[in-house]
Coordinates of all heavy atoms in Angstrom, one line a residue:
M1 N -0.7 -1.4 13.4 CA -1.7 -1.0 12.4 C -1.8 0.4 12.4 O -1.8 1.2 13.5 CB -3.0 -1.7 12.8 CG -4.1 -1.5 11.8 SD -5.7 -2.0 12.4 CE -6.0 -0.9 13.5
T2 N -1.9 1.0 11.2 CA -2.2 2.5 11.1 C -3.3 2.8 10.4 O -3.8 2.2 9.4 CB -0.9 3.1 10.3 OG1 0.3 2.8 10.9 CG2 -1.0 4.6 10.3
I3 N -4.2 3.7 11.0 CA -5.5 4.1 10.4 C -5.3 5.4 9.8 O -5.0 6.4 10.5 CB -6.7 4.1 11.4 CG1 -6.7 2.8 12.0 CG2 -7.9 4.7 10.8 CD1 -7.8 2.7 13.1
D4 N -5.4 5.5 8.4 CA -5.3 6.9 7.8 C -6.6 7.4 7.5 O -7.2 7.0 6.4 CB -4.4 6.7 6.5 CG -4.1 8.0 5.8 OD1 -4.5 9.1 6.4 OD2 -3.3 8.0 4.9
I5 N -7.1 8.3 8.3 CA -8.5 8.8 8.0 C -8.6 9.7 6.8 O -9.6 9.8 6.3 CB -8.8 9.7 9.3 CG1 -9.0 8.9 10.6 CG2 -10.0 10.4 9.2 CD1 -10.1 7.9 10.6
E6 N -7.4 10.2 6.4 CA -7.4 11.1 5.3 C -7.5 10.2 3.9 O -7.9 10.8 2.9 CB -6.1 11.9 5.2 CG -5.8 12.8 6.4 CD -6.9 13.7 6.7 OE1 -7.5 14.4 5.8 OE2 -7.3 13.8 7.9
T7 N -7.3 9.0 4.0 CA -7.4 8.2 2.7 C -8.7 8.2 2.3 O -9.6 7.9 2.9 CB -6.9 6.8 3.1 OG1 -5.6 6.9 3.6 CG2 -6.8 6.0 1.7
T8 N -8.9 8.4 0.9 CA -10.2 8.2 0.3 C -10.3 7.1 -0.7 O -9.2 6.7 -1.1 CB -10.7 9.5 -0.3 OG1 -9.7 10.0 -1.2 CG2 -11.0 10.5 0.8
G9 N -11.5 6.8 -1.1 CA -11.5 5.8 -2.1 C -11.8 4.4 -1.7 O -12.2 4.2 -0.6
R10 N -11.7 3.4 -2.5 CA -12.1 2.1 -2.3 C -11.4 1.4 -1.1 O -12.0 0.6 -0.5 CB -12.0 1.2 -3.5 CG -13.2 1.1 -4.4 CD -12.8 0.9 -5.8 NE -11.9 -0.2 -6.0 CZ -12.2 -1.4 -6.5 NH1 -13.5 -1.6 -6.9 NH2 -11.4 -2.3 -6.8
G11 N -10.0 1.8 -0.9 CA -9.3 1.1 0.1 C -9.6 1.7 1.5 O -9.0 1.2 2.5
Q12 N -10.5 2.7 1.7 CA -10.7 3.3 2.9 C -11.1 2.3 4.0 O -12.1 1.5 3.8 CB -11.7 4.4 2.9 CG -11.8 5.3 4.0 CD -12.8 6.4 3.8 OE1 -13.7 6.4 3.1 NE2 -12.6 7.5 4.6
F13 N -10.5 2.4 5.1 CA -10.7 1.5 6.3 C -10.6 0.1 6.0 O -11.1 -0.7 6.8 CB -12.2 1.9 6.8 CG -12.3 3.3 7.2 CD1 -13.4 4.0 6.8 CD2 -11.3 3.8 8.1 CE1 -13.5 5.3 7.2 CE2 -11.6 5.3 8.4 CZ -12.7 5.9 8.0
A14 N -10.0 -0.3 4.9 CA -9.8 -1.7 4.6 C -9.0 -2.5 5.6 O -9.6 -3.5 6.1 CB -9.1 -2.0 3.2
A15 N -8.1 -1.8 6.3 CA -7.4 -2.5 7.3 C -8.1 -2.6 8.5 O -8.1 -3.6 9.2 CB -6.0 -1.7 7.5
V16 N -8.9 -1.5 8.8 CA -9.7 -1.5 10.0 C -10.8 -2.7 9.9 O -11.1 -3.4 10.9 CB -10.5 -0.1 10.3 CG1 -11.1 -0.2 11.6 CG2 -9.5 0.9 10.2
R17 N -11.4 -2.7 8.7 CA -12.4 -3.6 8.5 C -11.8 -5.1 8.6 O -12.5 -5.9 9.2 CB -13.0 -3.5 7.1 CG -14.4 -4.0 6.9 CD -15.1 -3.6 5.8 NE -14.2 -3.7 4.6 CZ -14.2 -2.6 3.7 NH1 -14.9 -1.5 3.8 NH2 -13.5 -2.7 2.6
A18 N -10.5 -5.2 8.1 CA -9.9 -6.6 8.3 C -9.8 -7.0 9.8 O -9.9 -8.1 10.2 CB -8.7 -6.6 7.4
T19 N -9.3 -6.0 10.5 CA -9.0 -6.2 11.9 C -10.3 -6.5 12.7 O -10.3 -7.4 13.4 CB -8.4 -4.9 12.6 OG1 -7.1 -4.7 11.9 CG2 -8.0 -5.1 14.0
L20 N -11.3 -5.7 12.4 CA -12.6 -5.9 13.0 C -13.2 -7.3 12.7 O -13.7 -8.1 13.4 CB -13.6 -4.8 12.6 CG -13.3 -3.4 13.3 CD1 -14.1 -2.4 12.5 CD2 -13.5 -3.4 14.7
S21 N -13.1 -7.7 11.4 CA -13.6 -8.9 10.9 C -12.8 -10.1 11.7 O -13.4 -11.1 12.2 CB -13.5 -9.1 9.5 OG -14.1 -8.1 8.8
E22 N -11.5 -9.9 11.9 CA -10.8 -10.9 12.6 C -11.2 -11.1 14.1 O -11.3 -12.0 14.6 CB -9.3 -10.5 12.5 CG -8.2 -11.6 12.4 CD -6.9 -11.0 12.2 OE1 -6.7 -10.7 11.0 OE2 -6.1 -10.9 13.1
D23 N -11.4 -9.8 14.8 CA -11.9 -9.8 16.0 C -13.2 -10.5 16.2 O -13.5 -11.2 17.1 CB -12.0 -8.3 16.5 CG -10.7 -7.8 16.8 OD1 -9.7 -8.4 16.8 OD2 -10.6 -6.4 17.0
F24 N -14.0 -10.2 15.2 CA -15.4 -10.8 15.2 C -15.3 -12.3 15.2 O -16.0 -12.9 16.0 CB -16.1 -10.2 14.0 CG -17.7 -10.5 14.0 CD1 -18.6 -9.5 14.7 CD2 -18.2 -11.6 13.5 CE1 -19.9 -9.8 14.8 CE2 -19.6 -11.8 13.7 CZ -20.4 -10.9 14.3
A25 N -14.5 -12.8 14.4 CA -14.2 -14.2 14.3 C -13.8 -14.9 15.6 O -14.3 -15.9 16.1 CB -13.4 -14.6 13.2
T26 N -12.8 -14.1 16.1 CA -12.2 -14.5 17.4 C -13.3 -14.6 18.5 O -13.3 -15.5 19.3 CB -11.1 -13.6 17.8 OG1 -10.2 -13.5 16.8 CG2 -10.3 -14.1 19.1
Q27 N -14.0 -13.5 18.6 CA -15.0 -13.4 19.7 C -16.2 -14.5 19.4 O -16.7 -15.0 20.4 CB -15.6 -12.0 19.7 CG -14.6 -10.9 19.9 CD -14.1 -10.9 21.4 OE1 -14.8 -11.2 22.4 NE2 -12.9 -10.4 21.5
T28 N -16.5 -14.7 18.2 CA -17.5 -15.6 17.9 C -17.1 -17.1 18.4 O -17.8 -17.8 19.0 CB -17.8 -15.7 16.4 OG1 -18.3 -14.4 16.1 CG2 -19.0 -16.7 16.1
A29 N -15.8 -17.4 18.1 CA -15.2 -18.6 18.6 C -15.2 -18.9 20.0 O -15.6 -19.7 20.6 CB -13.9 -18.9 17.9
R30 N -14.9 -17.7 20.7 CA -14.8 -17.7 22.2 C -16.3 -17.9 22.7 O -16.5 -18.6 23.7 CB -14.3 -16.4 22.6 CG -14.2 -16.4 24.1 CD -13.6 -15.0 24.7 NE -12.1 -14.8 24.3 CZ -11.6 -13.7 24.3 NH1 -12.1 -12.6 25.0 NH2 -10.3 -13.6 24.1
L31 N -17.2 -17.2 22.1 CA -18.6 -17.3 22.5 C -19.2 -18.8 22.4 O -19.7 -19.3 23.3 CB -19.5 -16.4 21.6 CG -20.9 -16.2 22.1 CD1 -20.9 -15.4 23.4 CD2 -21.7 -15.4 21.0
Q32 N -18.8 -19.4 21.3 CA -19.0 -20.9 21.1 C -18.4 -21.7 22.1 O -19.0 -22.7 22.7 CB -18.7 -21.2 19.6 CG -19.7 -20.8 18.6 CD -19.2 -21.0 17.3 OE1 -18.0 -21.3 17.0 NE2 -20.0 -20.6 16.2
Q33 N -17.1 -21.5 22.4 CA -16.4 -22.2 23.5 C -17.0 -22.1 24.7 O -17.3 -23.1 25.4 CB -14.9 -21.6 23.5 CG -13.9 -22.6 23.0 CD -12.6 -21.8 23.0 OE1 -12.3 -20.9 23.7 NE2 -11.7 -22.3 22.0
L34 N -17.4 -20.9 25.2 CA -18.0 -20.6 26.4 C -19.4 -21.2 26.6 O -19.7 -21.8 27.6 CB -18.1 -19.1 26.6 CG -16.8 -18.2 26.9 CD1 -17.0 -16.8 26.7 CD2 -16.3 -18.5 28.3
T35 N -20.1 -21.2 25.5 CA -21.4 -21.8 25.5 C -21.3 -23.3 25.6 O -22.2 -23.9 26.2 CB -22.2 -21.4 24.1 OG1 -22.1 -20.0 24.0 CG2 -23.6 -21.8 24.2
A36 N -20.3 -23.9 24.9 CA -20.2 -25.3 24.9 C -19.6 -25.9 26.3 O -19.7 -27.1 26.6 CB -19.3 -25.8 23.7
A37 N -18.9 -25.1 27.0 CA -18.2 -25.5 28.2 C -19.2 -25.9 29.2 O -20.4 -25.4 29.3 CB -17.3 -24.3 28.7
S38 N -18.8 -26.9 30.1 CA -19.7 -27.4 31.0 C -19.2 -27.5 32.4 O -19.7 -28.2 33.3 CB -20.2 -28.9 30.5 OG -19.1 -29.7 30.4
D39 N -18.0 -26.9 32.7 CA -17.4 -26.9 34.0 C -18.1 -26.0 34.9 O -18.1 -24.8 34.8 CB -15.9 -26.4 33.9 CG -15.1 -26.6 35.1 OD1 -15.8 -26.9 36.2 OD2 -14.0 -26.3 35.1
S40 N -18.9 -26.7 35.9 CA -19.8 -25.8 36.7 C -18.9 -25.0 37.6 O -19.4 -23.9 38.1 CB -20.7 -26.7 37.5 OG -20.0 -27.5 38.2
A41 N -17.7 -25.3 38.0 CA -17.0 -24.5 38.9 C -16.6 -23.2 38.3 O -16.3 -22.2 39.0 CB -15.6 -25.2 39.2
E42 N -16.5 -23.1 37.1 CA -16.2 -21.8 36.3 C -17.5 -21.1 35.8 O -17.4 -20.1 35.1 CB -15.4 -22.2 35.2 CG -13.9 -22.7 35.5 CD -13.1 -21.6 36.1 OE1 -13.3 -20.4 35.8 OE2 -12.4 -21.9 37.0
A43 N -18.7 -21.6 36.3 CA -19.8 -21.0 35.7 C -20.1 -19.5 35.9 O -20.4 -18.8 35.0 CB -21.1 -21.7 36.3
H44 N -19.7 -19.0 37.0 CA -19.8 -17.6 37.3 C -18.9 -16.8 36.4 O -19.2 -15.8 35.7 CB -19.4 -17.3 38.8 CG -19.5 -15.9 39.1 ND1 -20.9 -15.3 39.2 CD2 -18.7 -15.0 39.3 CE1 -20.7 -14.1 39.5 NE2 -19.3 -13.7 39.6
N45 N -17.6 -17.2 36.3 CA -16.7 -16.6 35.4 C -17.1 -16.6 34.0 O -17.1 -15.6 33.2 CB -15.3 -17.3 35.4 CG -14.5 -16.8 36.7 OD1 -14.8 -15.8 37.3 ND2 -13.6 -17.6 37.1
R46 N -17.7 -17.8 33.6 CA -18.1 -18.0 32.2 C -19.3 -17.0 31.9 O -19.4 -16.5 30.9 CB -18.5 -19.5 32.0 CG -18.4 -19.9 30.5 CD -18.5 -21.3 30.4 NE -19.6 -22.0 31.0 CZ -19.6 -23.0 31.9 NH1 -18.5 -23.3 32.4 NH2 -20.7 -23.4 32.4
A47 N -20.2 -16.8 32.8 CA -21.3 -16.0 32.6 C -20.8 -14.5 32.3 O -21.4 -13.8 31.5 CB -22.3 -15.9 33.8
A48 N -19.8 -14.2 33.2 CA -19.3 -12.8 32.9 C -18.6 -12.6 31.7 O -18.6 -11.6 30.9 CB -18.3 -12.5 34.1
M49 N -17.9 -13.8 31.2 CA -17.1 -13.7 30.0 C -18.1 -13.7 28.8 O -17.8 -13.1 27.8 CB -16.2 -14.9 29.9 CG -14.9 -14.6 30.7 SD -13.7 -15.9 30.5 CE -14.3 -17.3 31.3
L50 N -19.2 -14.6 29.0 CA -20.2 -14.5 27.9 C -20.8 -13.1 27.6 O -20.9 -12.7 26.5 CB -21.3 -15.4 28.2 CG -21.2 -16.9 27.9 CD1 -22.2 -17.8 28.5 CD2 -21.3 -17.0 26.3
T51 N -21.0 -12.4 28.7 CA -21.6 -11.1 28.7 C -20.6 -10.2 28.0 O -21.0 -9.4 27.0 CB -21.9 -10.5 30.1 OG1 -22.8 -11.4 30.7 CG2 -22.6 -9.1 30.0
A52 N -19.3 -10.2 28.3 CA -18.3 -9.4 27.8 C -18.1 -9.7 26.4 O -18.0 -8.8 25.5 CB -17.0 -9.5 28.5
T53 N -18.2 -11.0 26.0 CA -17.9 -11.4 24.7 C -19.1 -10.9 23.7 O -18.8 -10.4 22.6 CB -17.8 -12.9 24.6 OG1 -16.8 -13.4 25.4 CG2 -17.4 -13.3 23.1
R54 N -20.3 -10.9 24.2 CA -21.4 -10.5 23.6 C -21.3 -8.9 23.3 O -21.8 -8.6 22.1 CB -22.8 -10.9 24.2 CG -23.1 -12.4 24.2 CD -24.5 -12.6 24.2 NE -24.8 -14.0 24.2 CZ -25.0 -14.8 25.4 NH1 -25.1 -14.2 26.5 NH2 -25.2 -16.1 25.3
Q55 N -21.0 -8.3 24.3 CA -20.8 -6.8 24.2 C -19.6 -6.5 23.1 O -19.9 -5.6 22.3 CB -20.4 -6.3 25.5 CG -21.6 -6.0 26.5 CD -21.2 -5.5 27.8 OE1 -19.9 -5.5 28.1 NE2 -22.2 -5.3 28.7
N56 N -18.6 -7.3 23.1 CA -17.6 -7.0 22.2 C -18.1 -7.2 20.7 O -17.9 -6.5 19.9 CB -16.4 -8.0 22.3 CG -15.5 -7.6 23.5 OD1 -15.6 -6.5 23.9 ND2 -14.8 -8.6 24.1
L57 N -18.9 -8.4 20.6 CA -19.5 -8.7 19.2 C -20.3 -7.6 18.8 O -20.4 -7.1 17.6 CB -20.2 -9.9 19.3 CG -19.3 -11.3 19.3 CD1 -20.1 -12.4 19.7 CD2 -18.8 -11.4 17.8
D58 N -21.2 -7.0 19.7 CA -22.1 -5.8 19.4 C -21.2 -4.6 18.9 O -21.7 -4.1 18.0 CB -22.8 -5.5 20.8 CG -24.1 -6.3 20.8 OD1 -24.5 -7.0 20.0 OD2 -24.9 -6.0 21.9
Q59 N -20.2 -4.4 19.7 CA -19.4 -3.2 19.3 C -18.7 -3.4 18.0 O -18.6 -2.4 17.2 CB -18.4 -3.0 20.5 CG -19.1 -2.4 21.7 CD -18.0 -2.1 22.8 OE1 -17.1 -2.8 22.8 NE2 -18.3 -1.1 23.7
I60 N -18.2 -4.5 17.8 CA -17.5 -4.9 16.5 C -18.4 -4.8 15.3 O -18.2 -4.2 14.3 CB -16.8 -6.2 16.6 CG1 -15.7 -6.2 17.6 CG2 -16.2 -6.6 15.2 CD1 -15.1 -7.6 18.0
S61 N -19.6 -5.4 15.5 CA -20.6 -5.4 14.4 C -21.1 -4.0 14.1 O -21.4 -3.5 12.9 CB -21.7 -6.4 14.6 OG -22.5 -6.1 15.7
G62 N -21.2 -3.2 15.3 CA -21.6 -1.8 15.2 C -20.6 -1.0 14.3 O -20.9 -0.2 13.4
A63 N -19.3 -1.3 14.6 CA -18.2 -0.5 13.8 C -18.2 -0.9 12.4 O -18.1 0.0 11.5 CB -16.8 -0.9 14.5
L64 N -18.3 -2.2 12.1 CA -18.4 -2.7 10.7 C -19.6 -2.0 10.0 O -19.5 -1.7 8.8 CB -18.6 -4.2 10.8 CG -17.3 -5.0 11.1 CD1 -17.6 -6.5 11.3 CD2 -16.2 -4.9 9.9
R65 N -20.6 -1.9 10.7 CA -22.0 -1.3 10.1 C -21.6 0.2 9.8 O -22.0 0.7 8.7 CB -23.1 -1.4 11.0 CG -24.5 -1.2 10.3 CD -25.5 -1.6 11.2 NE -25.5 -1.0 12.5 CZ -25.5 -1.5 13.7 NH1 -25.6 -2.7 13.8 NH2 -25.5 -0.8 14.8
R66 N -20.9 0.9 10.8 CA -20.6 2.2 10.5 C -19.6 2.5 9.3 O -19.6 3.5 8.6 CB -20.1 2.9 11.8 CG -21.1 3.1 12.9 CD -20.8 4.0 14.0 NE -19.5 3.6 14.7 CZ -19.6 2.6 15.6 NH1 -20.6 2.0 16.0 NH2 -18.4 2.4 16.2
I67 N -18.6 1.5 9.3 CA -17.8 1.6 8.0 C -18.5 1.5 6.8 O -18.4 2.3 5.8 CB -16.7 0.5 8.1 CG1 -15.7 0.7 9.3 CG2 -16.0 0.3 6.8 CD1 -14.7 -0.4 9.5
A68 N -19.6 0.5 6.8 CA -20.4 0.3 5.5 C -21.2 1.5 5.2 O -21.3 1.8 4.1 CB -21.3 -0.9 5.8
D69 N -21.8 2.2 6.3 CA -22.7 3.3 6.0 C -21.9 4.7 5.9 O -22.6 5.8 5.8 CB -23.9 3.3 6.7 CG -23.7 3.6 8.2 OD1 -22.6 4.1 8.6 OD2 -24.6 3.3 9.0
G70 N -20.6 4.6 6.1 CA -19.8 5.9 5.9 C -19.8 6.7 7.1 O -19.3 7.9 7.1
T71 N -20.2 6.3 8.3 CA -20.2 7.1 9.5 C -19.1 6.7 10.5 O -19.0 7.2 11.5 CB -21.5 7.1 10.3 OG1 -21.9 5.7 10.7 CG2 -22.5 7.6 9.4
Y72 N -18.2 5.8 10.1 CA -17.1 5.3 10.9 C -16.2 6.4 11.2 O -15.9 7.2 10.3 CB -16.5 4.1 10.3 CG -15.2 3.6 11.2 CD1 -15.6 2.7 12.2 CD2 -14.0 4.0 10.9 CE1 -14.6 2.3 13.0 CE2 -13.0 3.5 11.7 CZ -13.3 2.7 12.7 OH -12.3 2.1 13.7
G73 N -15.7 6.5 12.5 CA -14.8 7.5 12.9 C -15.5 8.8 13.4 O -14.8 9.6 13.9
A74 N -16.8 8.8 13.4 CA -17.5 10.0 14.1 C -18.1 9.5 15.3 O -18.6 8.5 15.4 CB -18.5 10.5 13.1
C75 N -18.1 10.3 16.3 CA -18.8 10.0 17.6 C -20.3 9.8 17.4 O -20.9 10.7 16.8 CB -18.4 11.1 18.6 SG -19.4 11.0 20.1
V76 N -20.8 8.7 17.9 CA -22.3 8.5 17.8 C -23.1 9.4 18.7 O -24.3 9.6 18.4 CB -22.7 7.1 18.1 CG1 -22.0 6.0 17.1 CG2 -22.3 6.6 19.5
Q77 N -22.4 10.1 19.6 CA -23.2 10.9 20.5 C -23.2 12.3 20.0 O -24.3 12.9 19.9 CB -22.3 10.9 21.9 CG -23.1 11.6 23.0 CD -24.0 10.7 23.8 OE1 -23.7 9.6 23.9 NE2 -25.1 11.2 24.2
C78 N -22.0 12.9 19.7 CA -22.0 14.3 19.2 C -21.7 14.5 17.8 O -21.6 15.8 17.3 CB -21.1 15.2 20.2 SG -19.3 14.7 19.9
G79 N -21.1 13.5 17.1 CA -20.8 13.6 15.7 C -19.3 14.1 15.5 O -18.9 14.2 14.3
S80 N -18.6 14.5 16.5 CA -17.2 14.9 16.4 C -16.4 13.7 15.8 O -16.7 12.5 16.1 CB -16.6 15.3 17.7 OG -17.3 16.4 18.2
A81 N -15.2 14.1 15.2 CA -14.4 13.1 14.7 C -13.7 12.4 15.8 O -13.1 13.2 16.7 CB -13.4 13.7 13.7
I82 N -13.6 11.1 15.9 CA -12.8 10.4 17.0 C -11.3 10.4 16.5 O -11.1 10.2 15.3 CB -13.3 9.0 17.1 CG1 -14.8 9.0 17.5 CG2 -12.4 8.2 18.1 CD1 -15.5 7.6 17.5
P83 N -10.5 10.9 17.3 CA -9.0 10.9 17.0 C -8.5 9.6 16.4 O -8.7 8.5 17.1 CB -8.3 11.3 18.2 CG -9.4 11.9 19.1 CD -10.7 11.3 18.8
P84 N -7.8 9.6 15.4 CA -7.3 8.5 14.7 C -6.5 7.6 15.7 O -6.5 6.4 15.7 CB -6.3 8.9 13.6 CG -6.8 10.3 13.3 CD -7.4 10.8 14.6
E85 N -5.8 8.3 16.7 CA -4.9 7.5 17.5 C -5.8 6.7 18.4 O -5.4 5.6 19.1 CB -3.9 8.3 18.4 CG -4.4 9.6 19.1 CD -4.6 10.8 18.2 OE1 -4.7 10.8 17.0 OE2 -4.6 11.9 18.8
R86 N -7.0 7.2 18.8 CA -7.9 6.6 19.6 C -8.4 5.3 18.9 O -8.6 4.2 19.5 CB -9.1 7.5 20.1 CG -10.2 6.7 20.8 CD -11.1 7.8 21.5 NE -12.3 7.2 22.0 CZ -12.5 6.4 23.0 NH1 -11.4 6.0 23.7 NH2 -13.6 5.9 23.3
L87 N -8.8 5.5 17.6 CA -9.3 4.4 16.8 C -8.2 3.3 16.5 O -8.6 2.1 16.4 CB -9.8 4.9 15.4 CG -11.1 5.8 15.5 CD1 -11.2 6.4 14.1 CD2 -12.3 5.0 15.9
E88 N -7.0 3.7 16.6 CA -5.9 2.8 16.4 C -5.9 1.8 17.6 O -5.6 0.6 17.5 CB -4.6 3.5 16.3 CG -3.5 2.7 15.5 CD -2.4 3.6 15.0 OE1 -2.6 4.7 14.7 OE2 -1.3 3.1 15.2
I89 N -6.1 2.4 18.8 CA -6.1 1.6 20.0 C -7.3 0.7 20.1 O -7.4 -0.4 20.6 CB -5.9 2.4 21.3 CG1 -4.6 3.2 21.2 CG2 -6.0 1.7 22.6 CD1 -4.4 4.4 22.3
L90 N -8.5 1.4 19.8 CA -9.8 0.8 19.9 C -10.6 1.0 18.6 O -11.4 1.9 18.6 CB -10.5 1.5 21.1 CG -11.7 0.9 21.8 CD1 -11.2 -0.4 22.5 CD2 -12.4 1.9 22.8
P91 N -10.4 0.1 17.7 CA -11.0 0.2 16.4 C -12.6 0.3 16.4 O -13.2 0.9 15.6 CB -10.5 -1.0 15.6 CG -9.3 -1.5 16.3 CD -9.5 -1.1 17.7
H92 N -13.2 -0.2 17.5 CA -14.6 -0.2 17.5 C -15.1 0.9 18.5 O -16.4 0.8 18.8 CB -15.1 -1.6 17.9 CG -14.7 -2.1 19.3 ND1 -13.8 -3.1 19.4 CD2 -15.0 -1.6 20.5 CE1 -13.6 -3.2 20.7 NE2 -14.4 -2.4 21.5
A93 N -14.3 1.9 18.7 CA -14.7 3.1 19.5 C -15.8 3.8 18.8 O -15.9 4.0 17.6 CB -13.5 4.1 19.7
Q94 N -17.0 4.1 19.6 CA -17.9 4.8 18.9 C -18.2 6.2 19.7 O -19.1 6.9 19.2 CB -19.3 4.0 19.1 CG -19.5 3.3 20.4 CD -20.8 2.4 20.4 OE1 -21.7 2.7 19.7 NE2 -20.7 1.3 21.2
H95 N -17.4 6.5 20.7 CA -17.5 7.9 21.3 C -16.1 8.5 21.2 O -15.2 7.9 21.3 CB -18.0 7.7 22.7 CG -19.4 7.2 22.9 ND1 -19.7 6.0 23.2 CD2 -20.5 7.8 22.7 CE1 -21.0 5.8 23.3 NE2 -21.6 6.9 23.0
C96 N -16.2 9.9 21.1 CA -15.0 10.7 21.3 C -14.7 10.7 22.8 O -15.5 10.3 23.6 CB -15.3 12.1 20.7 SG -16.5 13.1 21.6
V97 N -13.5 11.1 23.0 CA -13.0 11.0 24.5 C -13.9 11.8 25.4 O -14.3 11.3 26.5 CB -11.6 11.5 24.6 CG1 -11.1 11.4 26.0 CG2 -10.7 10.5 23.7
P98 N -14.3 13.1 25.1 CA -15.1 13.8 26.1 C -16.5 13.0 26.3 O -16.9 13.0 27.5 CB -15.4 15.1 25.4 CG -14.2 15.3 24.4 CD -13.8 13.9 24.0
C99 N -17.1 12.6 25.3 CA -18.4 11.8 25.4 C -18.1 10.5 26.2 O -19.1 10.2 27.1 CB -19.0 11.5 24.1 SG -19.7 12.9 23.3
K100 N -17.1 9.9 26.0 CA -16.8 8.6 26.8 C -16.7 8.9 28.2 O -17.1 8.2 29.0 CB -15.6 8.1 26.1 CG -15.1 6.7 26.7 CD -15.9 5.6 26.3 CE -15.6 4.3 26.9 NZ -16.6 3.3 26.5
E101 N -16.0 10.0 28.5 CA -15.8 10.3 29.9 C -17.1 10.8 30.6 O -17.3 10.5 31.8 CB -14.7 11.5 30.1 CG -13.3 10.9 29.8 CD -12.2 12.0 29.7 OE1 -12.6 13.1 29.7 OE2 -11.1 11.6 29.6
K102 N -17.8 11.5 29.8 CA -19.2 11.8 30.2 C -20.0 10.7 30.6 O -20.7 10.6 31.6 CB -19.9 12.7 29.2 CG -20.4 14.1 29.9 CD -21.2 15.0 28.7 CE -20.1 15.5 27.7 NZ -20.8 16.2 26.5
H103 N -20.0 9.7 29.6 CA -20.8 8.4 29.7 C -20.4 7.7 31.2 O -21.3 7.2 31.7 CB -20.4 7.6 28.7 CG -21.3 6.5 28.4 ND1 -22.7 6.7 28.0 CD2 -21.1 5.1 28.5 CE1 -23.2 5.6 28.0 NE2 -22.3 4.5 28.2
H104 N -19.1 7.8 31.5 CA -18.7 7.1 32.7 C -18.8 7.9 33.9 O -19.0 7.4 35.0 CB -17.2 6.7 32.5 CG -17.1 5.4 31.7 ND1 -17.2 4.1 32.3 CD2 -16.7 5.2 30.4 CE1 -17.1 3.2 31.4 NE2 -16.8 3.8 30.3
G105 N -18.9 9.2 33.8 CA -19.0 10.1 35.0 C -20.5 10.3 35.2 O -21.1 10.6 36.1
Ligands
ZN201 ZN1 -18.7 12.9 21.2

């Protein structure tokens, strides 16, 4: 997948939006699966996976919202443009690399 940040017009981020929508559906299905599962031996793992899946859904819906309001691709922390190659790896990235590193350090 290639993200062309320079592209303007109606097709902007169409591919990203499609990818994110697909991810959203996948994560939603996983969430339903995890919620419906009843194997108590896996309960601990399932709780961790549920948390991770919910976080993914949050991030994906956040990215979809930023595409809709035109702020997609900008760092939510400092407003800098997130490098396209980073968005290509992580379409729902909301921080530029320096802010992300600061966040973790
Ligand atoms: Zn930043």
Side-chain angles (χ1 to χ4, degrees):
M1 189 188 68
T2 307
I3 297 169
D4 187 358
I5 295 294
E6 303 303 317
T7 307
T8 53
R10 263 151 53 107
Q12 192 177 23
F13 301 132
V16 189
R17 203 163 47 222
T19 303
L20 288 166
S21 301
E22 213 171 283
D23 283 354
F24 194 87
T26 305
Q27 299 289 329
T28 302
R30 184 180 294 172
L31 193 68
Q32 281 165 355
Q33 247 171 27
L34 288 167
T35 308
S38 57
D39 183 355
S40 60
E42 293 291 327
H44 181 74
N45 281 340
R46 203 163 60 236
M49 284 190 286
L50 268 170
T51 304
T53 305
R54 287 206 182 98
Q55 279 172 355
N56 285 340
L57 282 168
D58 270 2
Q59 289 180 331
I60 294 164
S61 59
L64 285 166
R65 198 172 53 235
R66 290 196 300 282
I67 290 173
D69 68 18
T71 59
Y72 181 79
C75 172
V76 296
Q77 190 88 33
C78 69
S80 298
I82 300 171
E85 56 269 27
R86 174 162 164 73
L87 289 171
E88 202 166 324
I89 298 164
L90 198 68
H92 60 253
Q94 44 184 330
H95 293 102
C96 65
V97 178
C99 286
K100 182 77 183 171
E101 281 170 0
K102 232 181 285 174
H103 195 67
H104 278 279

